[in-house]
Amino acid sequence: MRLVAATRTAKLGTGNALRSSRGGGCRRKHQAARAGKRACVMSADSISNQYASALVELAQSSNVLEEVHSDIDALAALIKTDDSIATYLKNPVVDAQQKKGVINKIAGECEFNNITTNFLGLLVDKQRAGLTAKICEDFETMYCNITDTQIATVTSAVKLEDEQQFLIAKKLQEMTGSKNIKLMPKVDESLIAGFVVQYGKDGSAFIDMSVKGQMEKMAAQIAPENLSIASSS
């Protein structure tokens, strides 16, 4: 009986050890996979940053920074408008020459500078075309830092006229002291009337000149808890 009990204990101990070993192995595999994903993300960010930096330096040395920025700005807007472009460039099955054909077509229609067109072709050759959208973002950030440009998102109930945008940009320039202001207009009919401006680092600064915003402030002021506090004071 003691021998049987000992054998059973040994089997149980072996089973627990195997399960523990397998569990530990699975955990290590999952941890390694997560670490690998983080490394890939960091690597992609680093690579896009390097390419954007190289383009900025090349554009500056060639005295065409403004032209190249205009090209990249137009390309970024096009990618945001049409998701199929980014998907096409990311697709590893699509032939490199086909991708270059699409890029050259866009470059021709938008009249890109040769530096921009050649750079986009290089991304295809280096199999980095899938990072185009991220490279455009990084380029924009670098350009704004170099030129002291403040980006502001202006959301209005209706589309703003050029004169209105100019006045808003001028006011923001006075408030921030920035050399340049770049407005990113959006339309949101729920604002009813007026506009909302977000600017500063990560859009942390906020100006609400919308009817909806004013109504929300009024609603907060006449909330029961606020009324009770006001009456008690």
Side-chain angles (χ1 to χ4, degrees), residues 162-226:
D162 291 343
E163 181 65 19
Q164 292 173 310
Q165 293 188 38
F166 173 78
L167 292 174
I168 293 172
K170 186 177 179 181
K171 186 62 178 178
L172 284 173
Q173 192 173 30
E174 294 174 359
M175 292 172 60
T176 62
S178 297
K179 186 177 180 180
N180 303 292
I181 299 292
K182 179 180 179 180
L183 294 184
M184 307 288 286
K186 293 183 179 180
V187 174
D188 182 0
E189 295 179 356
S190 70
L191 295 179
I192 306 175
F195 59 88
V196 175
V197 183
Q198 277 185 284
Y199 64 99
K201 188 175 181 181
D202 301 323
S204 55
F206 198 82
I207 301 173
D208 192 345
M209 300 294 290
S210 68
V211 171
K212 180 182 178 181
Q214 299 304 316
M215 291 174 64
E216 289 176 348
K217 287 180 182 178
M218 290 174 63
Q221 289 174 357
I222 62 176
E225 58 270 22
N226 290 335

Side-chain angles (χ1 to χ4, degrees), residues 142-159:
M142 294 175 189
Y143 171 83
C144 290
N145 289 334
I146 292 170
T147 59
D148 188 19
T149 298
Q150 179 86 238
I151 296 179
T153 301
V154 182
T155 306
S156 55
V158 295
K159 185 178 179 181

Side-chain angles (χ1 to χ4, degrees), residues 52-74:
S53 178
L55 180 58
V56 168
E57 290 178 9
L58 179 59
Q60 281 185 302
S61 63
S62 303
N63 294 318
V64 291
L65 180 61
E66 292 300 328
E67 291 181 41
V68 173
H69 171 253
S70 179
D71 297 343
I72 296 300
D73 204 29

Side-chain angles (χ1 to χ4, degrees), residues 66-88:
E66 292 300 328
E67 291 181 41
V68 173
H69 171 253
S70 179
D71 297 343
I72 296 300
D73 204 29
L75 180 60
L78 191 61
I79 290 175
K80 287 182 180 179
T81 304
D82 189 352
D83 293 338
S84 64
I85 296 175
T87 302
Y88 187 85

